[in-house]
Amino acid sequence: MINRSIILIIRLYAAIVAVWMIMKPIFIAINHSVYSHTGLADWFRVVKAGFAMDCSMTAYLTVFPCLLLIVDQWVKHHKVISITLKIYLAVISFLIAATFIFDTMLYPYWGFKLDTTPLFYFSSSPKLALASVTGWQFIGGALSLIVLTTLITMWLFIASGKVPFERHPEKKQQVVSTICLGLLTAFLFVPMRGGFTVATMNLSSAYYTDDTRLNHAAVNPMFSLMYSMAHADNVADQFRFFDDQLTQKLFDELNKPVVADSAEVVTVPLKSRRPDIYLIILESFSSHLFGSLGGENIATGLDSIANSNALLFDNFYASSFRTDRGIPAILSGYPGQPTTSVMKSVTRAASLPSIASMLNDAGYTSHYYYGGDPNFTNMKAYLASTGYKTIVGDTDFPISQRLSKWGAPDAALFDKVQAELQPYDTVHPRFITIQTSSSHEPFDVARSPRSDDEPKQVTAFAYTDSCVTSFINRLHSTDNWSSSLIILVPDHYGAYPTNLGNLKAERQIPLIITGGALNVTGRNHSIGSQTDIAATIAGMLGLNSSKFKFSHDLLDPTSPRYAFYSSKGQIGLTTPDGETIYDLEADRTIYQQGDSTLNDKSKSYLQTLYRDLSSR
């Protein structure tokens, strides 16, 4: 016989989930001016997309009733337990109603889901926070809150009130009930984290379309608020090394134009005005995998391509140490931060400029291919909000092809890209970004090691190298080749070899540009980093790159030449005049060579970055 306390929890859980589901179409209906383009089918899709997040938020709200019922098995004051439960249900009903009402009322004005912003406004200045609210709006909101809280409370009382609390005179029954409720409580952690996949529940999990407004409708408002509170970073007060005037002066000195050699001839970089662009992001690759760059002969296919009909940047650096930092550095020209990740803040990430949006404005269509879960670290939300119309992830592959920890392997990924390629369209060329994943820990790939003692990492890198090389060779054999521009760059510094012991050495990665549309080849020794890719693409296409504040055109001889990079505890700066590495936690310079002002310039860069981040 099923324990009746478990039935109570199941009914309560289902009742709360139902509340969240009903609220979504109500949210859309109230904000009809924003969602006038939607129909009934969209409403159902919104509910479906947000279901997992609703279940996650409900799991958090259900933990306390579970614990309360466990206590009820061992105490005699069952009435106190019953009253406590009802008080708790009334409180969460108020919180559910309040978050829904605030979210619904603020969305048309703010255009993003409820987060800690209104809490900050109210705590810093309650008067100003309420200054824009009319008396009738205040009264209407208060009445709505009372009515909605009452309705939700009654609904939850009905769901929980029909199952009586357990009465177990026998200790054996008490133990059994306690164990069952304990297991149920433990099981709630599954919906809390969003299932058993690599990616835990985050705001990106509800994103399912390139229409940001519909994605917002799918997001659970209480989860959004809770997530914002848990991930809030007080970036405005971090890394305040200098006053604003000195910071700007040092930053401007770092970014002043270079005096170009008058004898230098600038070659037109492209044969095609608007080629198809393939941006391939290589998981965990580094210069140390390329024999021609002084490393081991591991990525032999790409090394051969880089040194034949390609442009190879051999003094290039990764911006940061994780994918969620590296992706915005590549796609938005926005440097990785040592203490936070702009991608984890959906609102801030959505405010960034991006290569995709720039190219969309120039007539391109933007597509993203990834074999893993694009919800990981809110990546899907970032991609959707910065211009990608199509986002292909693990669920777009057959189950038989996504049995690895990170989803579909790279071979299947490139096969899918190849199968979906369209003939070159001069009116609407394609911007295709491909993110690999097989060269990520645990490095399990469908390739035999070249020797018995070959490390798994090396085998995995060689596998991805062969997949990328095969894709480029196949593209070369098609009519699309002459109108193709291919850009290859790692997402962050490499996973092999480990313990290099030097921040600069760890950060060195290759940037390879190839394709039939490329008009200039050879080695380029200009110092640069991932953040410079955006401005370089813009320069090649003759587009304006002024939105990319931290990006410089690597093919412009007058552009500043430097690379800033960071890890969780260190920052580094490399310029033609020297290098510096600074330990943020120890508050000391751990390496200095050349220009003695570089240390202060690296600090000014970091301070400028965090000031910019705090303004978003």
Side-chain angles (χ1 to χ4, degrees):
M1 181 178 178
I2 299 177
N3 187 294
R4 288 181 292 174
S5 294
I6 295 178
I7 296 176
L8 185 152
I9 294 299
I10 293 174
R11 291 181 56 166
L12 184 59
Y13 185 94
I16 298 175
V17 170
V19 170
W20 293 126
M21 294 173 66
I22 294 170
M23 283 180 168
K24 286 177 170 51
I26 296 175
F27 173 87
I28 295 175
I30 293 176
N31 291 310
H32 56 86
S33 60
V34 178
Y35 295 98
S36 58
H37 65 295
T38 64
L40 188 60
D42 291 310
W43 292 22
F44 283 104
R45 293 189 189 101
V46 164
V47 173
K48 179 182 177 182
F51 180 74
M53 188 178 291
D54 293 338
C55 289
S56 178
M57 190 66 245
T58 302
Y60 284 99
L61 298 176
T62 313
V63 169
F64 182 78
C66 282
L67 298 176
L68 201 61
L69 292 181
I70 291 175
V71 173
D72 181 65
Q73 309 302 315
W74 300 93
V75 300
K76 298 180 179 180
H77 304 287
H78 301 289
K79 188 173 183 180
V80 173
I81 298 295
S82 179
I83 294 174
T84 302
L85 177 62
K86 292 190 180 301
I87 292 174
Y88 174 78
L89 296 181
V91 170
I92 66 169
S93 295
F94 170 82
L95 295 176
I96 291 172
T99 54
F100 171 76
I101 290 172
F102 276 108
D103 182 53
T104 303
M105 293 178 64
L106 293 173
Y107 185 78
Y109 304 100
W110 289 1
F112 58 84
K113 294 296 285 185
L114 185 66
D115 62 6
T116 57
T117 303
L119 299 179
F120 170 76
Y121 285 168
F122 193 83
S123 62
S124 60
S125 178
K127 183 178 180 181
L128 292 178
L130 298 174
S132 300
V133 180
T134 66
W136 286 112
Q137 286 176 326
F138 184 85
I139 294 172
L143 289 176
S144 299
L145 180 59
I146 293 171
V147 172
L148 189 56
T149 299
T150 303
L151 291 175
I152 296 174
T153 302
M154 292 173 60
W155 170 247
L156 298 186
F157 280 4
I158 292 172
S160 61
K162 290 188 176 181
V163 180
F165 286 86
E166 300 295 334
R167 301 290 187 268
H168 290 318
E170 297 181 11
K171 192 168 185 178
K172 180 180 178 180
Q173 291 177 305
Q174 291 175 311
V175 172
V176 171
S177 295
T178 300
I179 293 174
C180 290
L181 285 167
L183 291 174
L184 182 59
T185 304
F187 180 79
L188 289 175
F189 284 93
V190 175
M192 276 184 195
R193 74 178 306 279
F196 298 97
T197 62
V198 174
T200 55
M201 179 59 62
N202 55 61
L203 296 176
S204 180
S205 301
Y207 279 61
Y208 72 101
T209 176
D210 60 358
D211 188 332
T212 303
R213 293 167 295 180
L214 289 175
N215 291 332
H216 287 167
V219 171
N220 184 292
M222 185 177 285
F223 186 92
S224 178
L225 177 61
M226 182 185 73
Y227 191 89
S228 177
M229 294 173 68
H231 294 81
D233 295 302
N234 188 17
V235 296
D237 294 331
Q238 294 186 48
F239 308 120
R240 304 286 295 180
F241 300 107
F242 315 111
D243 62 57
D244 290 344
Q245 185 176 0
L246 179 56
T247 298
Q248 191 63 52
K249 177 178 179 294
L250 291 168
F251 186 75
D252 290 342
E253 288 179 1
L254 186 62
N255 286 283
K256 65 183 179 182
V258 175
V259 179
D261 186 341
S262 59
E264 186 171 355
V265 177
V266 180
T267 304
V268 176
L270 296 179
K271 301 174 185 176
S272 174
R273 178 175 173 271
R274 292 287 184 267
D276 283 338
I277 300 175
Y278 301 85
L279 175 56
I280 302 177
I281 301 174
L282 305 166
E283 172 64 51
S284 302
F285 271 59
S286 74
S287 296
H288 306 288
L289 308 180
F290 292 74
S292 67
L293 294 176
E296 299 180 38
N297 291 314
I298 297 174
T300 54
L302 291 178
D303 202 5
S304 176
I305 291 172
N307 288 279
S308 53
N309 296 314
L311 185 60
L312 172 61
F313 292 85
D314 57 9
N315 205 356
F316 199 74
Y317 298 85
S319 177
S320 196
F321 60 100
R322 287 290 184 270
T323 301
D324 60 286
R325 268 86 160 176
I327 295 296
I330 296 168
L331 301 181
S332 293
Y334 204 76
Q337 308 93 56
T339 62
T340 187
S341 168
V342 68
M343 190 185 285
K344 292 181 179 179
S345 172
V346 175
T347 303
R348 284 173 174 156
S351 72
L352 296 177
S354 71
I355 297 173
S357 60
M358 175 184 70
L359 294 182
N360 289 347
D361 291 341
Y364 279 76
T365 59
S366 299
H367 312 270
Y368 203 96
Y369 287 83
Y370 178 47
D373 184 354
N375 289 312
F376 194 63
T377 62
N378 277 340
M379 186 172 72
K380 187 177 178 182
Y382 163 76
L383 296 174
S385 62
T386 53
Y388 284 95
K389 302 302 180 183
T390 303
I391 303 172
V392 173
D394 55 348
T395 57
D396 296 295
F397 293 83
I399 294 178
S400 59
Q401 290 186 345
R402 45 187 168 103
L403 299 178
S404 70
K405 182 178 181 181
W406 289 96
D410 290 343
L413 171 68
F414 284 102
D415 285 344
K416 186 171 185 63
V417 177
Q418 185 77 32
E420 296 182 359
L421 284 184
Q422 300 293 324
Y424 174 64
D425 185 343
T426 57
V427 179
H428 295 294
R430 289 160 61 89
F431 172 48
I432 298 176
T433 303
I434 308 167
Q435 180 183 346
T436 69
S437 60
S438 293
S439 50
H440 192 290
E441 189 180 11
F443 307 110
D444 292 329
V445 295
R447 179 189 175 101
S448 299
R450 291 172 292 187
S451 63
D452 293 339
D453 59 348
E454 181 176 83
K456 292 181 66 176
Q457 301 100 307
V458 172
T459 305
F461 283 119
Y463 167 79
T464 295
D465 172 72
S466 66
C467 294
V468 179
T469 303
S470 175
F471 172 76
I472 293 175
N473 290 337
R474 283 184 288 174
L475 185 62
H476 191 284
S477 66
T478 69
D479 294 336
N480 286 10
W481 178 253
S482 61
S483 56
S484 296
L485 181 69
I486 304 169
I487 302 168
L488 302 110
V489 65
D491 59 345
H492 49 73
Y493 69 77
Y496 180 87
T498 58
N499 302 318
L500 289 172
N502 181 288
L503 184 62
K504 179 191 174 186
E506 289 177 344
R507 288 289 178 277
Q508 290 183 308
I509 61 174
L511 172 64
I512 305 168
I513 303 179
T514 186
L518 187 66
N519 196 38
V520 55
T521 60
R523 288 279 187 111
N524 189 303
H525 308 302
S526 299
I527 299 173
S529 76
Q530 291 170 320
T531 57
D532 296 322
I533 293 174
T536 302
I537 291 176
M540 296 176 84
L541 299 177
L543 302 176
N544 190 320
S545 64
S546 59
K547 291 183 178 179
F548 300 97
K549 178 178 181 179
F550 299 94
S551 187
H552 307 103
D553 186 351
L554 294 171
L555 297 178
D556 179 357
T558 67
S559 183
R561 294 286 185 261
Y562 67 84
F564 174 88
Y565 34 87
S566 69
S567 65
K568 291 196 72 172
Q570 298 177 354
I571 56 173
L573 180 66
T574 297
T575 77
D577 300 320
E579 301 162 3
T580 184
I581 298 175
Y582 181 77
D583 191 311
L584 296 168
E585 297 175 352
D587 191 22
R588 64 183 180 90
T589 302
I590 58 177
Y591 179 78
Q592 179 75 48
Q593 181 269 322
D595 186 355
S596 61
T597 69
L598 291 183
N599 192 37
D600 284 349
K601 288 177 180 177
S602 69
K603 292 179 181 179
S604 74
Y605 189 102
L606 183 64
Q607 185 170 334
T608 301
L609 172 60
Y610 271 71
R611 183 175 60 188
D612 181 86
L613 186 63
S614 68
S615 69
R616 294 184 179 276

